[in-house]
Amino acid sequence: MIKAGIIGSTGYAGQELVRLLHGHKDVEIVWYGSRSYIDKKYYDVFRNMFQIVEDVCKDDHLDELAEAVDVIFTATPQGLCASLVSEEILNKVKIIDLSADFRIKDVTVYEKWYGIKHASPEFIPEAVYGLCEINREDIKGARLIANPGCYTTCSILTAYPLVKEGLIDARSIIIDAKSGTSGAGRGAKVDNLFCEVNENIKAYGVTTHRHTPEIEEQLGYAAGEPLLLNFTPHLVPMNRGILVTAYANLKEGVTEADIRAAYDKYYKDEKFVRVLEPGICPETRWVEGSNYTDINFKVDPRTHRVIMMGALDNLVKGAAGQAVQNMNLIFGLDEAEGLNLVPMFP
Amino acid sequence: MIKAGIIGSTGYAGQELVRLLHGHKDVEIVWYGSRSYIDKKYYDVFRNMFQIVEDVCKDDHLDELAEAVDVIFTATPQGLCASLVSEEILNKVKIIDLSADFRIKDVTVYEKWYGIKHASPEFIPEAVYGLCEINREDIKGARLIANPGCYTTCSILTAYPLVKEGLIDARSIIIDAKSGTSGAGRGAKVDNLFCEVNENIKAYGVTTHRHTPEIEEQLGYAAGEPLLLNFTPHLVPMNRGILVTAYANLKEGVTEADIRAAYDKYYKDEKFVRVLEPGICPETRWVEGSNYTDINFKVDPRTHRVIMMGALDNLVKGAAGQAVQNMNLIFGLDEAEGLNLVPMFP
Amino acid sequence: MIKAGIIGSTGYAGQELVRLLHGHKDVEIVWYGSRSYIDKKYYDVFRNMFQIVEDVCKDDHLDELAEAVDVIFTATPQGLCASLVSEEILNKVKIIDLSADFRIKDVTVYEKWYGIKHASPEFIPEAVYGLCEINREDIKGARLIANPGCYTTCSILTAYPLVKEGLIDARSIIIDAKSGTSGAGRGAKVDNLFCEVNENIKAYGVTTHRHTPEIEEQLGYAAGEPLLLNFTPHLVPMNRGILVTAYANLKEGVTEADIRAAYDKYYKDEKFVRVLEPGICPETRWVEGSNYTDINFKVDPRTHRVIMMGALDNLVKGAAGQAVQNMNLIFGLDEAEGLNLVPMFP
Amino acid sequence: MIKAGIIGSTGYAGQELVRLLHGHKDVEIVWYGSRSYIDKKYYDVFRNMFQIVEDVCKDDHLDELAEAVDVIFTATPQGLCASLVSEEILNKVKIIDLSADFRIKDVTVYEKWYGIKHASPEFIPEAVYGLCEINREDIKGARLIANPGCYTTCSILTAYPLVKEGLIDARSIIIDAKSGTSGAGRGAKVDNLFCEVNENIKAYGVTTHRHTPEIEEQLGYAAGEPLLLNFTPHLVPMNRGILVTAYANLKEGVTEADIRAAYDKYYKDEKFVRVLEPGICPETRWVEGSNYTDINFKVDPRTHRVIMMGALDNLVKGAAGQAVQNMNLIFGLDEAEGLNLVPMFP
């Protein structure tokens, strides 16, 4: 059995990790970290876990934790994981970081968009960007995984094949994303109260959202050159789900068949990416609770643009599910172990 | 492998059964029945099933079906299962009926409340009321299971120990129930449109809801004598979940400790009934997607009443999950096989 | 023009008062009190008010306020209004208190249920309980109005005629109430976050909710003797609306016609109480945004009980609308002035 | 008093028109047309109207109707209004058509996108596109108004000043729109059931939505030349509201100040368009129930694009409110009469 510890187990992503790992036959959670609920029963924080998890929440005693587990998941605010990582720790355990600390290779970009100083930039080069469908081989040998963001995973997977194959003008990409509210976290803020979110939709972080440089970096690798794009997130009155609607100018002569071929090339053997049949738009309801990303596109012959669409569950493929997928790869397990989840509807 | 057929696989309960059976290691679904979608790909009706279910929907050829499967689930409108059952069929397959056809022992009561003539009253005596926590032993040998209703399961489990132990005046029971909208089915009706249900709560079927005599019959067995009660269902703007708030007069001298002891007596070894800690009220969010029923109570010393509360997921413990639990019992499997589902939150 | 000041103008009820008074031809709001947002533009707190309200929020300088206005609305936490009232103030302005401070005549009951010491019990006898349909004449001459609670208004109006006419056993009343989330206020609490409330229903304050003694007192006056009852509130995932489902034993020989006659007797000339046609259940969607309370009932001949149902908008008839109705009565205006609001659907 | 008739009064837009006209001091509705509910009480279809509207629904006897009223609103499916209009009718009454029949000047474009033959193309030239902020003077003298679509109103108002002033490349416009579900109408369809819409977001009509050519035509007038654009609508789990997020390339040298000046130029005296303060994004919650369109923008210096955002209530400014605004202009009333509605929150 792989022994796992979770730092930040009482946020929404941390709790989803608990749910998923409880359905994983090769993993045992031995450490429920939570600074906010130290010594409190985990099920007092999330009552769905009553009679399932009997543990109490613990503080982050990293040394003790590193001795006790094989893998640490950090589902914590920005900066925390960077402050924990050390050569000594990485020699003992694998770290899968669900925060942004190691996602961006250029530390100045990180520090500018996140507004904090990076505590351990020396580990950035080693960290592997844990988007399994793209970096599978690198993940297998990694000690430190930068688990991608929720918007990011959806955006990159949706656009990647067309960028990689050079079918679209990479400088023309516009990503309009919509997210359920669990992405905003469990912090007590007026803006996230039921009555403020319900019956409302809004854009936020327009031109400044922190997932922007992460998407740009990864799609830049695919394009073979740096690129800039627009990314606009929106908050939707639902619990889970991200929908990405992305626009780009088609390169001269590119046909619908070329685009479908590109998606097939990269995803037809991928278990967790479903390229939908022509004419079917991705919808968040069809992926809820699962590790799938549903993708499709539509060509507009009038404007010579392609509209790319992707949907996933922000807490699964956008966070905890992807973290488990990374763990499976690192430990040589079946990549889908614990993730064979039929989407729950309605 | 147990071969299963589902008649009515394209309603919400039928689809939930598909989800659950796909996670069941001993079952294979070989027949997706649906009169409305004959010859259509199942995933065209429920796109969460894309790349998971490749079958097409079939009409109800009962003879063919009875040869092909070990168990038939009927998730159909009232009257259909009653019209299918015969000695010949029951000699070949087990039937688990999610409709009300065989739930009520007195056929005149059935015909009065449902307003239809029962097509095969001769099988009513044989049918076992499939509330596993109460009728476990009878279920094991059954050929025909009357799978309980969603409101009914929640109401009975919530009140059963106190009635059985004679702690409350059984004639004083009032059940005020609240349900998510999936309980109303997938039929296209104006009353179930998003804009009609959202931002609304209403009572319906007041004094006349069909689950009333079913609850009365089962609690009557517990009481040892017939009883009448009030049952008032309400429609709540959420997808899943039933919450029951039930009121009854305490018998003279009954204490909180007596009540807790009664709940413990019947449920402390039950995997799918969680009696909560004192002071914690059941909430539907904590059972969503799982087979749990959460139960608790509060004594009011001012009025000498007890308020009993129960919560479950109407599509799982209230329908498909309970059907699987019944199937497990019939076929001698671990009762929880395929039902080890951590509630999904949020 | 009547000059109005609002203390606590930045809660949900306070803001609704602003909305309603802006549609009132005889009132001008000259004071937007808010301890939390002093010196902030009101529209920065509620952006629906942009270009409608240009004022900034002010602290509670009571002396200054009493000079500036004719009427003060206090939409504040318990205890605040009691600490402000004095003979001097009441000689200058009318006070309509939306909190519970003056609702309960027996100060020991108030102090027990609310857990705070009452700062000015000497004004309790003078305060008029502002349920206009019942205390209309007393309200007209009042200096100090105790504006009823939201659950309370709905519960009392629903049960009042039957209690008053002696048609039901007043000791058998059970009130099961359901409320939208705006009733929980705008405070930043985890329990009221979107993801916690959405897709959930729960009971809370079971046997201990503070509106209980208020309902008991008022219905006790109607009954002519003290009574105790059960009141169970539930939180529903919607913004606005309260639905009350109340149960009581019918007295011997009481008929459906008797009950309808009782409702007609008290409400047929009431503009803001709509007794629905037989068979039609009240629903919150039909009263949203308006000052109506919709009421109906169903007799259960099997159990000899009556199920009484009422629906209102908790922020209008349950708070701000009723406050305006009280103000209209006090100042001799048309009782419906500013309240001729067609319910907004959907 | 202006006498009004509504054909199609039992759809969501028709019902909203009833709500608004009931608050209009100069209008009396004398004809509630509804083919689906002939001879049924209007309040049996919309129970918010109980004790407010006593009329019964009538069939469309156009001759009789034209004698009885001064203005006819047609809130009907495409094609119906076109089949009713005639010189004789227009000599008697004003027609404000909430359908698309007269919105598009080029009948071949209409027939292609709507897939139906236009029954009275001879009246297209006369019809005035009723976007009051842009065509105010033409509206005043009109006999036949083509009331704009909901997505269209929001899209055009949001982009108009920048197109008109030539600040953006009109060929680069991409409009990503999100709508509440009332825009989908009250027809009984599985896709619009609560459980299908709730907890879901999806794009639909991608590259083919019928509002596309309407937006292109109107913005083309502003640009002074034809233009093509991408318009992608999405369905959001909320009752009301449209949010438009639009993207365009800035022309060389255009500054944020230029853009703000353009918005001010066209909207600073407009009562129903609120250009928000810098940094504040429009949100649908702040306009609900009102006739406002809230607009703002953000310049992205990295990509040299502008993100334009607009929000309105699809049933008010996007349908019934705008229809009333048009009526007010035609009949020489205060343009805001009956529309002084403070947005209702929450």
Side-chain angles (χ1 to χ4, degrees):
Chain A
M1 289 294 269
I2 297 165
K3 287 189 161 57
I6 304 172
I7 301 183
S9 67
T10 53
Y12 289 137
Q15 187 261 157
E16 184 71 354
L17 203 45
V18 173
R19 180 176 82 95
L20 296 180
L21 292 177
H22 265 267
H24 194 297
K25 69 178 177 53
D26 302 316
V27 179
E28 181 188 8
I29 307 175
V30 300
W31 192 285
Y32 293 81
S34 172
R35 287 191 183 172
S36 310
Y37 296 102
I38 295 168
D39 291 338
K40 204 158 182 179
K41 287 268 192 186
Y42 191 76
Y43 69 69
D44 277 336
V45 187
F46 290 105
R47 294 196 175 276
N48 51 331
M49 298 299 176
F50 185 59
Q51 296 185 358
I52 297 170
V53 178
E54 293 299 323
D55 301 65
V56 298
C57 298
K58 297 183 192 176
D59 200 355
D60 314 335
H61 303 295
L62 194 63
D63 293 340
E64 191 185 334
L65 176 55
E67 297 296 333
V69 303
D70 303 301
V71 58
I72 296 174
F73 296 91
T74 49
T76 46
Q78 315 311 331
L80 191 92
C81 185
S83 73
L84 298 179
V85 171
S86 70
E87 189 59 31
E88 192 189 347
I89 295 289
L90 286 178
N91 282 336
K92 292 182 184 162
V93 297
K94 308 293 187 184
I95 294 184
I96 298 173
D97 177 24
L98 280 75
S99 87
D101 286 1
F102 295 98
R103 292 178 192 159
I104 293 173
K105 288 298 172 197
D106 183 339
V107 71
T108 61
V109 172
Y110 173 88
E111 294 185 343
K112 182 180 155 208
W113 286 78
Y114 285 86
I116 52 175
K117 182 136 190 66
H118 199 291
S120 55
E122 65 274 23
F123 290 101
I124 296 179
E126 170 178 355
V128 176
Y129 190 74
L131 192 43
C132 309
E133 285 73 15
I134 292 176
N135 295 329
R136 183 169 286 119
E137 293 313 311
D138 288 346
I139 291 164
K140 289 179 181 171
R143 300 192 300 175
L144 174 57
I145 295 286
N147 205 60
C150 51
Y151 281 127
T152 324
T153 298
C154 197
S155 299
I156 296 171
L157 288 176
T158 299
Y160 180 81
L162 305 205
V163 175
K164 184 77 175 174
E165 295 295 302
L167 303 179
I168 55 177
D169 173 3
R171 293 168 177 280
S172 71
I173 299 172
I174 288 170
I175 298 173
D176 191 284
K178 298 90 178 167
S179 174
T181 304
S182 58
R186 213 188 190 201
K189 294 178 192 164
V190 168
D191 270 357
N192 294 335
L193 291 177
F194 180 83
C195 290
E196 310 290 319
V197 172
N198 189 38
E199 296 295 295
N200 188 40
I201 182 165
K202 65 173 176 184
Y204 64 100
V206 182
T207 75
T208 62
H209 193 277
R210 293 162 169 190
H211 283 182
T212 310
E214 188 181 332
I215 302 168
E216 289 176 343
E217 179 178 331
Q218 297 297 324
L219 289 183
Y221 296 148
E225 57 174 356
L227 58 81
L228 298 178
L229 50 75
N230 277 102
F231 169 72
T232 312
H234 298 75
L235 193 68
V236 179
M238 58 186 194
N239 285 348
R240 291 171 177 243
I242 281 182
L243 182 72
V244 155
T245 313
Y247 303 84
N249 297 331
L250 288 173
K251 286 204 182 147
E252 186 80 26
V254 170
T255 66
E256 189 174 321
D258 296 335
I259 295 173
R260 192 152 292 277
Y263 280 118
D264 282 351
K265 174 174 173 184
Y266 290 93
Y267 296 143
K268 78 166 185 296
D269 297 328
E270 288 296 339
K271 181 180 175 72
F272 294 123
V273 178
R274 303 191 292 193
V275 180
L276 305 183
E277 296 173 332
I280 308 299
C281 291
E283 307 187 27
T284 61
R285 62 174 157 160
W286 302 130
V287 295
E288 191 173 329
S290 82
N291 203 46
Y292 291 111
T293 304
D294 281 3
I295 291 177
N296 214 346
F297 70 95
K298 191 83 186 284
V299 166
D300 189 345
R302 301 165 66 249
T303 60
H304 302 292
R305 293 196 186 101
V306 60
I307 295 95
M308 301 164 274
M309 293 167 282
L312 54 71
D313 183 325
N314 57 304
L315 292 180
V316 190
K317 184 62 177 172
Q322 186 140 265
V324 172
Q325 197 178 349
N326 276 305
M327 181 197 71
N328 287 340
L329 286 170
I330 291 173
F331 288 91
L333 306 173
D334 174 359
E335 187 173 333
E337 183 54 47
L339 298 172
N340 287 305
L341 305 157
V342 178
M344 191 171 91
F345 172 80
Chain B
M1 291 293 268
I2 297 164
K3 288 190 161 58
I6 303 171
I7 301 182
S9 67
T10 53
Y12 288 137
Q15 185 262 157
E16 183 71 354
L17 203 46
V18 173
R19 180 176 82 95
L20 296 180
L21 292 177
H22 266 267
H24 193 298
K25 69 177 176 55
D26 302 317
V27 180
E28 180 189 11
I29 307 175
V30 301
W31 191 285
Y32 292 81
S34 172
R35 288 192 181 172
S36 310
Y37 296 102
I38 296 168
D39 291 338
K40 204 159 182 178
K41 287 267 192 187
Y42 191 75
Y43 68 70
D44 278 336
V45 186
F46 290 105
R47 294 196 175 278
N48 51 331
M49 298 299 176
F50 185 59
Q51 297 185 357
I52 297 170
V53 177
E54 293 299 324
D55 302 65
V56 299
C57 297
K58 297 183 192 175
D59 200 353
D60 314 335
H61 303 297
L62 193 64
D63 293 339
E64 191 186 335
L65 175 54
E67 296 297 331
V69 303
D70 303 301
V71 58
I72 297 173
F73 296 91
T74 49
T76 46
Q78 315 311 331
L80 192 93
C81 184
S83 73
L84 298 179
V85 171
S86 70
E87 190 58 33
E88 193 190 347
I89 295 289
L90 286 178
N91 281 336
K92 292 181 185 162
V93 297
K94 309 292 186 184
I95 294 184
I96 298 173
D97 177 24
L98 281 75
S99 86
D101 286 2
F102 296 97
R103 291 178 192 159
I104 292 172
K105 288 299 173 196
D106 183 340
V107 71
T108 60
V109 172
Y110 173 88
E111 295 185 343
K112 183 181 153 205
W113 286 78
Y114 285 87
I116 51 174
K117 181 136 190 67
H118 199 292
S120 55
E122 65 275 21
F123 291 101
I124 296 179
E126 171 178 356
V128 176
Y129 191 74
L131 192 43
C132 309
E133 285 73 15
I134 292 175
N135 296 328
R136 183 170 285 119
E137 292 314 310
D138 289 345
I139 292 165
K140 289 179 182 172
R143 302 191 299 175
L144 174 57
I145 295 286
N147 206 61
C150 51
Y151 280 126
T152 324
T153 298
C154 197
S155 299
I156 296 171
L157 288 176
T158 299
Y160 181 82
L162 305 204
V163 175
K164 183 78 175 175
E165 295 295 300
L167 303 179
I168 55 177
D169 173 3
R171 292 166 178 281
S172 72
I173 299 173
I174 288 170
I175 298 172
D176 192 284
K178 298 89 178 169
S179 174
T181 304
S182 58
R186 214 189 190 200
K189 294 178 191 163
V190 168
D191 270 356
N192 294 336
L193 291 177
F194 181 83
C195 289
E196 310 290 320
V197 172
N198 189 39
E199 297 296 294
N200 188 40
I201 182 165
K202 65 174 175 183
Y204 65 100
V206 182
T207 75
T208 62
H209 193 276
R210 294 162 169 191
H211 283 182
T212 310
E214 188 182 333
I215 302 169
E216 288 176 344
E217 180 179 330
Q218 296 298 323
L219 289 183
Y221 297 148
E225 56 175 357
L227 58 80
L228 298 177
L229 50 74
N230 276 102
F231 169 73
T232 312
H234 297 76
L235 193 68
V236 179
M238 59 186 193
N239 285 348
R240 290 169 177 244
I242 282 181
L243 182 72
V244 155
T245 314
Y247 304 83
N249 297 331
L250 288 173
K251 286 204 181 145
E252 187 80 27
V254 171
T255 67
E256 190 174 321
D258 297 334
I259 295 173
R260 191 152 293 277
Y263 279 118
D264 282 352
K265 175 173 172 184
Y266 291 93
Y267 297 143
K268 77 166 185 297
D269 297 328
E270 288 296 339
K271 182 181 174 70
F272 294 124
V273 178
R274 304 191 291 194
V275 180
L276 305 183
E277 296 173 332
I280 307 299
C281 291
E283 306 187 26
T284 61
R285 63 175 157 161
W286 302 129
V287 296
E288 191 172 330
S290 82
N291 202 48
Y292 290 112
T293 304
D294 281 3
I295 292 177
N296 215 346
F297 70 94
K298 191 82 185 285
V299 166
D300 190 344
R302 301 164 68 249
T303 61
H304 303 292
R305 293 197 186 102
V306 60
I307 296 95
M308 302 163 275
M309 293 168 281
L312 54 71
D313 183 324
N314 57 303
L315 293 179
V316 189
K317 184 62 178 172
Q322 185 140 265
V324 172
Q325 197 179 349
N326 276 306
M327 182 197 71
N328 287 339
L329 286 171
I330 291 173
F331 288 90
L333 307 173
D334 175 359
E335 188 173 333
E337 182 55 47
L339 298 172
N340 288 304
L341 305 157
V342 178
M344 190 171 92
F345 172 80
Chain C
M1 290 294 268
I2 297 165
K3 288 190 160 57
I6 304 172
I7 300 182
S9 68
T10 55
Y12 288 137
Q15 187 261 158
E16 183 72 353
L17 203 45
V18 172
R19 179 176 82 96
L20 296 180
L21 292 178
H22 266 267
H24 194 298
K25 69 179 176 54
D26 302 317
V27 180
E28 180 188 9
I29 307 175
V30 300
W31 191 286
Y32 293 81
S34 172
R35 287 192 182 172
S36 310
Y37 296 102
I38 296 168
D39 291 338
K40 204 159 182 178
K41 286 268 192 186
Y42 191 76
Y43 69 69
D44 278 335
V45 186
F46 291 105
R47 295 196 174 277
N48 52 331
M49 299 298 176
F50 185 59
Q51 295 185 358
I52 297 171
V53 178
E54 294 299 324
D55 302 65
V56 299
C57 299
K58 298 184 192 175
D59 199 354
D60 314 335
H61 303 295
L62 193 63
D63 292 339
E64 191 185 333
L65 176 55
E67 296 297 332
V69 304
D70 303 301
V71 58
I72 296 174
F73 296 91
T74 50
T76 46
Q78 316 310 330
L80 190 92
C81 185
S83 73
L84 298 179
V85 170
S86 70
E87 190 60 32
E88 192 191 347
I89 295 290
L90 286 178
N91 282 335
K92 292 182 184 161
V93 298
K94 309 292 187 184
I95 294 185
I96 298 174
D97 177 25
L98 281 74
S99 85
D101 286 1
F102 295 98
R103 291 179 192 158
I104 292 172
K105 287 299 172 195
D106 183 339
V107 71
T108 62
V109 172
Y110 173 88
E111 294 186 343
K112 182 181 154 207
W113 286 78
Y114 285 87
I116 51 175
K117 183 138 188 67
H118 199 292
S120 54
E122 65 275 21
F123 291 101
I124 295 179
E126 171 178 355
V128 176
Y129 190 73
L131 193 43
C132 308
E133 285 72 15
I134 292 175
N135 296 329
R136 182 169 287 119
E137 293 313 311
D138 289 346
I139 292 164
K140 290 179 181 171
R143 299 192 300 175
L144 173 59
I145 295 285
N147 206 59
C150 51
Y151 280 127
T152 324
T153 298
C154 197
S155 299
I156 297 171
L157 288 176
T158 299
Y160 181 82
L162 306 205
V163 174
K164 183 77 176 176
E165 296 295 302
L167 302 178
I168 55 177
D169 173 2
R171 292 167 178 281
S172 71
I173 298 173
I174 288 169
I175 299 173
D176 191 283
K178 298 90 178 168
S179 174
T181 305
S182 58
R186 213 188 190 201
K189 295 178 190 164
V190 168
D191 270 357
N192 294 336
L193 291 177
F194 181 82
C195 290
E196 310 290 319
V197 172
N198 190 37
E199 296 297 294
N200 188 41
I201 182 165
K202 66 173 176 183
Y204 64 99
V206 182
T207 74
T208 61
H209 193 277
R210 293 162 169 189
H211 283 181
T212 310
E214 187 181 334
I215 302 169
E216 289 176 343
E217 179 178 331
Q218 296 298 324
L219 289 183
Y221 296 148
E225 55 175 357
L227 57 81
L228 298 177
L229 49 75
N230 276 102
F231 169 72
T232 312
H234 297 76
L235 193 68
V236 179
M238 58 185 194
N239 286 348
R240 291 170 177 242
I242 282 182
L243 182 72
V244 155
T245 314
Y247 303 84
N249 298 330
L250 288 172
K251 285 204 183 148
E252 186 81 27
V254 170
T255 66
E256 189 174 320
D258 296 334
I259 295 172
R260 191 152 292 277
Y263 280 117
D264 283 352
K265 175 174 173 183
Y266 291 93
Y267 297 144
K268 77 166 184 298
D269 297 328
E270 287 296 339
K271 180 180 176 72
F272 294 124
V273 178
R274 303 191 292 193
V275 180
L276 305 183
E277 295 173 331
I280 308 298
C281 291
E283 308 186 26
T284 61
R285 64 174 156 161
W286 302 130
V287 295
E288 192 173 329
S290 82
N291 202 47
Y292 290 112
T293 303
D294 280 3
I295 291 177
N296 214 346
F297 69 94
K298 192 81 185 285
V299 167
D300 189 345
R302 301 165 68 249
T303 61
H304 303 292
R305 291 196 189 102
V306 61
I307 295 94
M308 301 164 275
M309 295 167 281
L312 54 70
D313 183 323
N314 57 304
L315 293 179
V316 189
K317 184 61 178 173
Q322 185 140 263
V324 172
Q325 197 178 350
N326 276 304
M327 181 197 72
N328 288 338
L329 286 170
I330 291 173
F331 288 90
L333 307 173
D334 174 0
E335 187 173 333
E337 182 55 47
L339 298 172
N340 288 303
L341 304 157
V342 178
M344 190 171 92
F345 172 81
Chain D
M1 290 294 268
I2 296 165
K3 287 190 162 59
I6 304 171
I7 300 182
S9 67
T10 54
Y12 288 137
Q15 186 261 158
E16 183 72 353
L17 202 46
V18 172
R19 179 176 81 96
L20 296 181
L21 292 178
H22 266 267
H24 194 299
K25 69 178 176 54
D26 301 318
V27 180
E28 179 188 10
I29 307 175
V30 300
W31 191 285
Y32 293 82
S34 172
R35 287 192 182 172
S36 310
Y37 296 103
I38 295 169
D39 291 338
K40 204 160 183 178
K41 287 267 192 187
Y42 191 76
Y43 69 70
D44 277 335
V45 186
F46 291 105
R47 294 195 175 278
N48 52 331
M49 298 298 176
F50 186 57
Q51 296 186 358
I52 297 171
V53 177
E54 293 299 324
D55 302 65
V56 298
C57 297
K58 298 183 191 176
D59 199 354
D60 314 335
H61 302 295
L62 192 63
D63 293 339
E64 191 186 334
L65 176 54
E67 297 296 332
V69 304
D70 303 301
V71 57
I72 296 173
F73 296 92
T74 50
T76 47
Q78 315 311 331
L80 191 93
C81 184
S83 74
L84 297 179
V85 170
S86 70
E87 189 59 32
E88 192 190 347
I89 295 290
L90 287 178
N91 281 336
K92 292 181 184 162
V93 296
K94 309 294 187 184
I95 294 184
I96 298 174
D97 177 26
L98 280 75
S99 85
D101 287 1
F102 295 98
R103 292 178 190 158
I104 293 172
K105 287 299 173 197
D106 183 339
V107 71
T108 62
V109 172
Y110 173 88
E111 294 186 342
K112 182 181 155 207
W113 286 77
Y114 284 87
I116 52 174
K117 183 137 188 65
H118 200 293
S120 55
E122 66 274 22
F123 290 101
I124 295 179
E126 170 178 354
V128 175
Y129 191 74
L131 192 44
C132 309
E133 285 73 15
I134 292 176
N135 295 328
R136 182 169 286 120
E137 293 313 311
D138 288 346
I139 292 164
K140 289 177 182 172
R143 300 191 301 175
L144 174 58
I145 295 285
N147 206 59
C150 51
Y151 281 126
T152 325
T153 298
C154 197
S155 299
I156 296 171
L157 288 176
T158 299
Y160 181 81
L162 306 204
V163 174
K164 183 78 176 175
E165 295 295 302
L167 303 178
I168 55 177
D169 173 3
R171 292 168 177 280
S172 71
I173 299 173
I174 288 170
I175 298 172
D176 192 283
K178 298 90 178 167
S179 174
T181 304
S182 57
R186 214 188 189 199
K189 294 178 191 164
V190 168
D191 270 357
N192 295 335
L193 291 177
F194 181 82
C195 289
E196 310 290 318
V197 172
N198 190 38
E199 296 296 296
N200 188 42
I201 183 166
K202 65 173 176 183
Y204 64 100
V206 182
T207 74
T208 61
H209 193 277
R210 293 163 169 190
H211 284 182
T212 310
E214 188 181 333
I215 302 169
E216 288 176 344
E217 179 178 332
Q218 296 298 323
L219 289 182
Y221 297 147
E225 55 175 357
L227 57 81
L228 297 178
L229 48 75
N230 276 103
F231 169 73
T232 312
H234 297 76
L235 193 68
V236 179
M238 57 186 194
N239 285 348
R240 290 170 178 242
I242 281 181
L243 182 72
V244 155
T245 315
Y247 303 84
N249 297 331
L250 287 173
K251 287 206 182 144
E252 186 81 27
V254 170
T255 66
E256 189 173 321
D258 296 335
I259 295 173
R260 192 153 291 277
Y263 279 118
D264 282 352
K265 174 174 173 183
Y266 291 93
Y267 296 143
K268 77 166 185 297
D269 296 329
E270 287 296 339
K271 181 181 176 71
F272 294 123
V273 178
R274 303 191 292 194
V275 180
L276 305 183
E277 295 173 331
I280 307 299
C281 291
E283 307 187 26
T284 61
R285 63 175 156 160
W286 302 130
V287 296
E288 191 173 330
S290 83
N291 202 47
Y292 290 112
T293 303
D294 280 3
I295 291 177
N296 214 345
F297 69 95
K298 191 83 186 285
V299 166
D300 190 344
R302 300 165 68 250
T303 60
H304 303 292
R305 291 197 188 102
V306 61
I307 295 94
M308 302 163 275
M309 294 167 281
L312 53 71
D313 183 323
N314 58 303
L315 293 179
V316 189
K317 184 61 179 173
Q322 185 140 265
V324 172
Q325 197 178 350
N326 276 304
M327 182 197 70
N328 287 340
L329 286 170
I330 291 173
F331 288 89
L333 307 173
D334 175 359
E335 186 173 334
E337 182 56 46
L339 298 172
N340 288 304
L341 304 158
V342 178
M344 190 171 92
F345 172 81

